Each structure stands twice: as structure tokens, then as C-alpha cells.
Amino acid sequence: MRVAAGSQALPSTSSQHRRVQPRAPGRAGGLGKAWGPREPVRGGSPAQQGRQPSVPRGAAMGCWRVPGPVLALLLLLCPPPSPACPAACRCSPREVDCSERGLREVPWSLSTNTSTLWLGYNFITVLRPRSFPPLPGLRLLSLVHNRLELIHSQALLGLGALQELDLSHNHLSVLTPETFVPLTSLATLNLGSNRLGELEPGVPGALPQLQALLLQDNPWVCSCSILPLWRWLSHNREKVREKSLLLCRLPEQLNKYPIMAFGDESFRQCQETSLSPQHYITFFVIGPFSFIASIFFCTFLGSLVVFYHSLRRESHCWRRPCVCRVH
């Protein structure tokens, strides 16, 4: 009976084991934790011990889902890629060197954080409107030893932070104040070794922060037309560099004469013959009226002469005696 009882107890135990063996997925006997490996079952069969832990499909393929707000934040924090360095230039942080590259125009693909730009010893002849891309951080611009003949009035737009501009050793003969109006922060302007015969005082006057102006080695024409520039130079001597190199080229008798050596008496004749704007306005107003008045006056005078002659003829006819003929 004991053996039978023991034999009956064994099947009951095996039946209980069979009932417990099938477990729901996700428990210890199923997938285990969702994102971690499960430990092998102790005491199991070798086949069960060598079974690899199951891994979710998304984790097995290496695909991790990033929440939408996190992805948007990462895109905002990542700065946009800066434009590549121009092919003909050498670039370092905040500095671009395009010297001696045979360029005929300013390269456009420049980084917006450029602070120094070297364009010397090239073949640039004209700076057209908006020749430069927006460079809000540019501090120094060098265009030395090019062939510049013309700078458009809108060529330097977008360079409001520029502090030093070197245009020396070019072919510039005419400059307008409008060209330099955008350069509100410019402190140093080098116009040396160009072809300037005269310069409007409005050019340096358009630069409120100007501290140094270089004008040496230009063919200055020392006539009455240089009087406005001479006045500006006389009142801003501390801003003029290399004063001794400002020499006259024309007229011949004043060749190599220093401009700063002139005095007020040198321009006395120019001051006496010069006319103020009020004089020109007076001439333009009075001139046409005087011309019309002269025409009316001549017509009136001619009419008087004709009338006088007609009166004399009539009086002569009345005085002539009548001759009666007798047949």
C-alpha cells in the first residue's frame, strides 16, 4: 500500500508539473523583461541551458526610436554647416586669404563669421553693386595691388562692421561719398598710390569713426579745385598720415610741392572768384527775366522809331505847297 501510495503520489506530482509548465509570455518562462536578457533556468536540460535569450525585434536590428521633441531639440542645437572655403583661397578660423590667386572678382562663398579678408595682388578691376556677401563680422579688408578703376556706390553694402580698408596701389581716379556711407565703423582708410587728382571732402566726411587717412603718392592737381580738400585736411591734421608725402603733380611749377604747406593766401584768388550757391540761384532766376525784358525793350524801341518816321513823312506832305496848272 505504501508503494502503491508512493506510486500514486508520483503521477500527481508530474501532473502538477505539467500544469505549471506552460506559462504566459512575459514571465520568467517567456520573454522575461522587455529590454533585458533573462537568466537561464537552473536545473534545466542542456538544450534549455544553451538557448539564447530572446531580444525584441527593434533592438535586434539596432533601430532606436527617438521621441519627437528630443529630435527637434537636437536639430535646433546643431549649428547649420558653414560654407566651404573658396577653392582659390586659404582659410583659417575667421580669416580668409585669397592673395595672389589671379582673381577677377570677389569670391562669394565666404563664411559669415569671417573677420579678415585678404584680396591683394589679384586682377579685380571693378567692384559692382553688392560685390561682397553679407559679412557682419568683417573687420579688415585688403584690396592692395589690384587694378581697381571703379567702385560702385553700393559695392560695400553689408560691411557695416569694417574697421580697416586698404585700397592702395590701384587705379582709382574718382571716388564718391555714397560709396563709403555704409562703413559706419571704419577707422582706417588707405587710398595711397592711386590716380587721384582731387578728392571730394565728403569722402572722409562720410566716415564718422575715421581716425587715419592715407593719401600719399597720388597725382594731386593743385588748382582751385583742391581748395575744399585742403580745408578738410587743415581742420583734421591729426587724422592725416604721411602728410609730407601729399605732393602736387600739376601744374608743372608746383610739381612736388607739399599740399599741407599751402596757406590761406595761396587760395585768395580762388576765394575771390568763387561764387556762393546764392549767387548761382540769383543768376538762374534773374537771367531768363532779363532776357525776356530785353526782347520787349528792343521791340518797344523799334516801334517808337517806326512811329517817329511815319509822323515825319505825314508832316512833310502837309507842308508841301499845292501847284495849280492853268490850261
Side-chain angles (χ1 to χ4, degrees):
M1 294 298 292
R2 292 179 181 177
V3 175
S7 61
Q8 292 176 359
L10 290 175
S12 62
T13 305
S14 61
S15 62
Q16 291 176 2
H17 177 71
R18 290 174 184 173
R19 291 178 182 177
V20 176
Q21 186 175 2
R23 297 179 180 179
R27 296 183 180 180
L31 295 177
K33 294 183 180 180
W35 298 102
R38 68 183 181 91
E39 297 180 357
V41 181
R42 296 181 181 180
S45 63
Q48 292 177 352
Q49 293 180 4
R51 184 181 301 170
Q52 296 295 331
S54 59
V55 182
R57 182 178 299 176
M61 298 181 65
C63 298
W64 296 84
R65 292 184 179 180
V66 181
V70 177
L71 181 60
L73 181 61
L74 291 176
L75 292 176
L76 290 176
L77 292 178
C78 293
S82 59
C85 181
C89 305
R90 298 182 298 271
C91 298
S92 60
R94 300 180 62 84
E95 182 174 349
V96 180
D97 188 0
C98 302
S99 303
E100 302 181 38
R101 297 295 177 176
L103 299 177
R104 298 185 179 276
E105 58 183 9
V106 179
W108 188 260
S109 57
L110 296 171
S111 176
T112 55
N113 62 352
T114 302
S115 63
T116 304
L117 179 57
W118 305 96
L119 291 169
Y121 298 90
N122 284 293
F123 303 105
I124 302 174
T125 58
V126 178
L127 291 181
R128 296 179 175 83
R130 297 187 178 273
S131 293
F132 297 86
L135 299 173
L138 190 64
R139 298 292 187 273
L140 187 148
L141 174 60
S142 176
L143 285 158
V144 299
H145 287 280
N146 275 270
R147 300 177 180 178
L148 275 176
E149 298 178 357
L150 177 64
I151 301 180
H152 194 272
S153 59
Q154 298 181 354
L156 303 178
L157 291 177
L159 306 181
L162 193 64
Q163 297 179 357
E164 183 175 352
L165 176 60
D166 195 344
L167 298 171
S168 61
H169 297 89
N170 280 284
H171 301 164
L172 295 172
S173 58
V174 177
L175 291 172
T176 60
E178 292 77 14
T179 303
F180 301 93
V181 168
L183 308 181
T184 55
S185 302
L186 193 68
T188 302
L189 176 61
N190 191 346
L191 297 174
S193 300
N194 276 278
R195 298 178 180 177
L196 296 171
E198 59 183 51
L199 182 68
E200 295 185 35
V203 172
L207 303 170
Q209 302 298 326
L210 186 65
Q211 299 177 5
L213 177 64
L214 293 91
L215 298 171
Q216 71 280 359
D217 298 328
N218 278 286
W220 299 108
V221 179
C222 294
S223 61
C224 291
S225 60
I226 205 174
L227 176 59
L229 177 62
W230 175 82
R231 285 176 176 170
W232 188 92
L233 296 174
S234 300
H235 289 88
N236 298 273
R237 290 178 178 268
E238 72 282 355
K239 298 181 180 181
V240 184
R241 302 277 181 87
E242 306 292 342
K243 302 180 184 66
S244 59
L245 298 179
L246 271 69
L247 305 176
C248 300
R249 179 71 59 85
L250 293 174
E252 188 65 28
Q253 61 269 22
L254 293 176
N255 188 24
K256 296 185 179 179
Y257 189 84
I259 295 178
M260 301 303 294
F262 288 117
D264 290 331
E265 65 279 359
S266 303
F267 297 97
R268 184 175 302 172
Q269 183 179 0
C270 300
Q271 294 174 355
E272 290 176 355
T273 57
S274 60
L275 298 176
S276 63
Q278 289 80 7
H279 291 113
Y280 287 105
I281 294 174
T282 305
F283 290 153
F284 279 113
V285 171
I286 296 178
F289 285 103
S290 61
F291 176 73
I292 296 173
S294 63
I295 293 177
F296 278 105
F297 180 75
C298 292
T299 305
F300 177 72
L301 221 77
S303 302
L304 287 178
V305 172
V306 172
F307 182 72
Y308 174 73
H309 283 289
S310 63
L311 285 178
R312 288 191 62 183
R313 285 181 183 179
E314 291 181 359
S315 62
H316 183 70
C317 291
W318 284 103
R319 291 177 182 178
R320 183 179 299 174
C322 298
V323 178
C324 297
R325 293 181 181 182
V326 179
H327 295 283

